[in-house]
PDB file of all heavy atoms in Angstrom:
ATOM      1  N   HIS A 502      -4.672  -8.717  30.974  1.00  0.00           N
ATOM      2  CA  HIS A 502      -5.775  -8.933  31.904  1.00  0.00           C
ATOM      3  C   HIS A 502      -7.107  -8.654  31.212  1.00  0.00           C
ATOM      4  O   HIS A 502      -7.231  -7.669  30.496  1.00  0.00           O
ATOM      5  CB  HIS A 502      -5.599  -8.001  33.109  1.00  0.00           C
ATOM      6  CG  HIS A 502      -6.816  -7.896  33.972  1.00  0.00           C
ATOM      7  ND1 HIS A 502      -7.194  -8.897  34.844  1.00  0.00           N
ATOM      8  CD2 HIS A 502      -7.751  -6.923  34.094  1.00  0.00           C
ATOM      9  CE1 HIS A 502      -8.295  -8.542  35.472  1.00  0.00           C
ATOM     10  NE2 HIS A 502      -8.651  -7.343  35.039  1.00  0.00           N
ATOM     11  N   PRO A 503      -8.151  -9.495  31.406  1.00  0.00           N
ATOM     12  CA  PRO A 503      -8.137 -10.688  32.251  1.00  0.00           C
ATOM     13  C   PRO A 503      -7.595 -11.926  31.529  1.00  0.00           C
ATOM     14  O   PRO A 503      -6.918 -12.722  32.108  1.00  0.00           O
ATOM     15  CB  PRO A 503      -9.607 -10.856  32.623  1.00  0.00           C
ATOM     16  CG  PRO A 503     -10.339 -10.274  31.452  1.00  0.00           C
ATOM     17  CD  PRO A 503      -9.501  -9.155  30.944  1.00  0.00           C
ATOM     18  N   HIS A 504      -7.919 -12.089  30.227  1.00  0.00           N
ATOM     19  CA  HIS A 504      -7.414 -13.178  29.383  1.00  0.00           C
ATOM     20  C   HIS A 504      -8.224 -13.167  28.101  1.00  0.00           C
ATOM     21  O   HIS A 504      -8.984 -12.235  27.825  1.00  0.00           O
ATOM     22  CB  HIS A 504      -7.511 -14.546  30.081  1.00  0.00           C
ATOM     23  CG  HIS A 504      -8.830 -14.847  30.714  1.00  0.00           C
ATOM     24  ND1 HIS A 504     -10.010 -14.964  30.008  1.00  0.00           N
ATOM     25  CD2 HIS A 504      -9.178 -15.048  32.013  1.00  0.00           C
ATOM     26  CE1 HIS A 504     -11.015 -15.233  30.817  1.00  0.00           C
ATOM     27  NE2 HIS A 504     -10.539 -15.277  32.052  1.00  0.00           N
ATOM     28  N   GLY A 505      -8.072 -14.224  27.291  1.00  0.00           N
ATOM     29  CA  GLY A 505      -8.818 -14.330  26.051  1.00  0.00           C
ATOM     30  C   GLY A 505     -10.264 -14.718  26.290  1.00  0.00           C
ATOM     31  O   GLY A 505     -10.827 -14.495  27.346  1.00  0.00           O
ATOM     32  N   PHE A 506     -10.880 -15.367  25.311  1.00  0.00           N
ATOM     33  CA  PHE A 506     -12.306 -15.679  25.250  1.00  0.00           C
ATOM     34  C   PHE A 506     -12.976 -14.422  24.670  1.00  0.00           C
ATOM     35  O   PHE A 506     -12.344 -13.382  24.513  1.00  0.00           O
ATOM     36  CB  PHE A 506     -12.872 -16.016  26.642  1.00  0.00           C
ATOM     37  CG  PHE A 506     -13.863 -17.170  26.644  1.00  0.00           C
ATOM     38  CD1 PHE A 506     -13.511 -18.398  26.123  1.00  0.00           C
ATOM     39  CD2 PHE A 506     -15.137 -17.029  27.170  1.00  0.00           C
ATOM     40  CE1 PHE A 506     -14.399 -19.461  26.130  1.00  0.00           C
ATOM     41  CE2 PHE A 506     -16.034 -18.087  27.193  1.00  0.00           C
ATOM     42  CZ  PHE A 506     -15.662 -19.304  26.663  1.00  0.00           C
ATOM     43  N   VAL A 507     -14.256 -14.492  24.329  1.00  0.00           N
ATOM     44  CA  VAL A 507     -14.933 -13.344  23.734  1.00  0.00           C
ATOM     45  C   VAL A 507     -15.439 -12.449  24.873  1.00  0.00           C
ATOM     46  O   VAL A 507     -16.630 -12.396  25.173  1.00  0.00           O
ATOM     47  CB  VAL A 507     -16.084 -13.792  22.815  1.00  0.00           C
ATOM     48  CG1 VAL A 507     -16.664 -12.584  22.071  1.00  0.00           C
ATOM     49  CG2 VAL A 507     -15.587 -14.812  21.803  1.00  0.00           C
ATOM     50  N   THR A 508     -14.497 -11.751  25.518  1.00  0.00           N
ATOM     51  CA  THR A 508     -14.840 -10.856  26.625  1.00  0.00           C
ATOM     52  C   THR A 508     -14.720  -9.389  26.236  1.00  0.00           C
ATOM     53  O   THR A 508     -15.376  -8.541  26.853  1.00  0.00           O
ATOM     54  CB  THR A 508     -13.919 -11.089  27.827  1.00  0.00           C
ATOM     55  OG1 THR A 508     -12.592 -10.627  27.509  1.00  0.00           O
ATOM     56  CG2 THR A 508     -13.874 -12.572  28.221  1.00  0.00           C
ATOM     57  N   PHE A 509     -13.870  -9.056  25.268  1.00  0.00           N
ATOM     58  CA  PHE A 509     -13.525  -7.682  24.888  1.00  0.00           C
ATOM     59  C   PHE A 509     -12.797  -6.938  26.004  1.00  0.00           C
ATOM     60  O   PHE A 509     -12.430  -5.778  25.825  1.00  0.00           O
ATOM     61  CB  PHE A 509     -14.767  -6.868  24.501  1.00  0.00           C
ATOM     62  CG  PHE A 509     -15.424  -7.286  23.225  1.00  0.00           C
ATOM     63  CD1 PHE A 509     -16.591  -8.020  23.241  1.00  0.00           C
ATOM     64  CD2 PHE A 509     -14.883  -6.934  21.997  1.00  0.00           C
ATOM     65  CE1 PHE A 509     -17.218  -8.398  22.075  1.00  0.00           C
ATOM     66  CE2 PHE A 509     -15.494  -7.305  20.816  1.00  0.00           C
ATOM     67  CZ  PHE A 509     -16.666  -8.045  20.854  1.00  0.00           C
ATOM     68  N   ALA A 510     -12.589  -7.575  27.150  1.00  0.00           N
ATOM     69  CA  ALA A 510     -12.040  -6.855  28.301  1.00  0.00           C
ATOM     70  C   ALA A 510     -10.628  -6.324  28.070  1.00  0.00           C
ATOM     71  O   ALA A 510     -10.327  -5.200  28.500  1.00  0.00           O
ATOM     72  CB  ALA A 510     -12.094  -7.741  29.542  1.00  0.00           C
ATOM     73  N   PRO A 511      -9.706  -7.078  27.433  1.00  0.00           N
ATOM     74  CA  PRO A 511      -8.380  -6.491  27.212  1.00  0.00           C
ATOM     75  C   PRO A 511      -8.429  -5.190  26.419  1.00  0.00           C
ATOM     76  O   PRO A 511      -7.725  -4.230  26.748  1.00  0.00           O
ATOM     77  CB  PRO A 511      -7.647  -7.599  26.440  1.00  0.00           C
ATOM     78  CG  PRO A 511      -8.307  -8.864  26.882  1.00  0.00           C
ATOM     79  CD  PRO A 511      -9.757  -8.493  27.009  1.00  0.00           C
ATOM     80  N   ALA A 512      -9.271  -5.144  25.390  1.00  0.00           N
ATOM     81  CA  ALA A 512      -9.388  -3.925  24.589  1.00  0.00           C
ATOM     82  C   ALA A 512     -10.036  -2.801  25.395  1.00  0.00           C
ATOM     83  O   ALA A 512      -9.597  -1.645  25.341  1.00  0.00           O
ATOM     84  CB  ALA A 512     -10.204  -4.208  23.329  1.00  0.00           C
ATOM     85  N   TYR A 513     -11.084  -3.137  26.121  1.00  0.00           N
ATOM     86  CA  TYR A 513     -11.809  -2.131  26.892  1.00  0.00           C
ATOM     87  C   TYR A 513     -10.916  -1.508  27.959  1.00  0.00           C
ATOM     88  O   TYR A 513     -10.930  -0.279  28.173  1.00  0.00           O
ATOM     89  CB  TYR A 513     -13.032  -2.781  27.535  1.00  0.00           C
ATOM     90  CG  TYR A 513     -13.985  -1.818  28.196  1.00  0.00           C
ATOM     91  CD1 TYR A 513     -14.920  -1.114  27.449  1.00  0.00           C
ATOM     92  CD2 TYR A 513     -13.955  -1.616  29.574  1.00  0.00           C
ATOM     93  CE1 TYR A 513     -15.813  -0.243  28.051  1.00  0.00           C
ATOM     94  CE2 TYR A 513     -14.841  -0.740  30.188  1.00  0.00           C
ATOM     95  CZ  TYR A 513     -15.763  -0.056  29.425  1.00  0.00           C
ATOM     96  OH  TYR A 513     -16.638   0.813  30.024  1.00  0.00           O
ATOM     97  N   ASN A 514     -10.113  -2.331  28.602  1.00  0.00           N
ATOM     98  CA  ASN A 514      -9.226  -1.819  29.651  1.00  0.00           C
ATOM     99  C   ASN A 514      -8.053  -1.049  29.066  1.00  0.00           C
ATOM    100  O   ASN A 514      -7.622  -0.034  29.621  1.00  0.00           O
ATOM    101  CB  ASN A 514      -8.739  -2.971  30.516  1.00  0.00           C
ATOM    102  CG  ASN A 514      -9.871  -3.671  31.239  1.00  0.00           C
ATOM    103  OD1 ASN A 514     -10.932  -3.095  31.448  1.00  0.00           O
ATOM    104  ND2 ASN A 514      -9.659  -4.924  31.602  1.00  0.00           N
ATOM    105  N   ALA A 515      -7.515  -1.536  27.940  1.00  0.00           N
ATOM    106  CA  ALA A 515      -6.449  -0.788  27.271  1.00  0.00           C
ATOM    107  C   ALA A 515      -6.954   0.579  26.833  1.00  0.00           C
ATOM    108  O   ALA A 515      -6.216   1.577  26.882  1.00  0.00           O
ATOM    109  CB  ALA A 515      -5.937  -1.579  26.063  1.00  0.00           C
ATOM    110  N   LEU A 516      -8.211   0.641  26.415  1.00  0.00           N
ATOM    111  CA  LEU A 516      -8.813   1.909  26.015  1.00  0.00           C
ATOM    112  C   LEU A 516      -8.740   2.931  27.144  1.00  0.00           C
ATOM    113  O   LEU A 516      -8.437   4.110  26.911  1.00  0.00           O
ATOM    114  CB  LEU A 516     -10.266   1.670  25.601  1.00  0.00           C
ATOM    115  CG  LEU A 516     -11.109   2.902  25.311  1.00  0.00           C
ATOM    116  CD1 LEU A 516     -10.652   3.570  24.020  1.00  0.00           C
ATOM    117  CD2 LEU A 516     -12.592   2.525  25.224  1.00  0.00           C
ATOM    118  N   GLU A 517      -9.024   2.494  28.369  1.00  0.00           N
ATOM    119  CA  GLU A 517      -8.988   3.415  29.501  1.00  0.00           C
ATOM    120  C   GLU A 517      -7.584   3.995  29.702  1.00  0.00           C
ATOM    121  O   GLU A 517      -7.419   5.186  29.974  1.00  0.00           O
ATOM    122  CB  GLU A 517      -9.453   2.701  30.772  1.00  0.00           C
ATOM    123  CG  GLU A 517     -10.912   2.285  30.759  1.00  0.00           C
ATOM    124  CD  GLU A 517     -11.850   3.473  30.752  1.00  0.00           C
ATOM    125  OE1 GLU A 517     -11.477   4.536  31.278  1.00  0.00           O
ATOM    126  OE2 GLU A 517     -12.963   3.341  30.197  1.00  0.00           O
TER     127      GLU A 517
END
Side-chain angles (χ1 to χ4, degrees):
H502 167 76
H504 48 63
F506 220 55
V507 187
T508 70
F509 291 104
Y513 189 81
N514 297 337
L516 173 70
E517 294 294 331

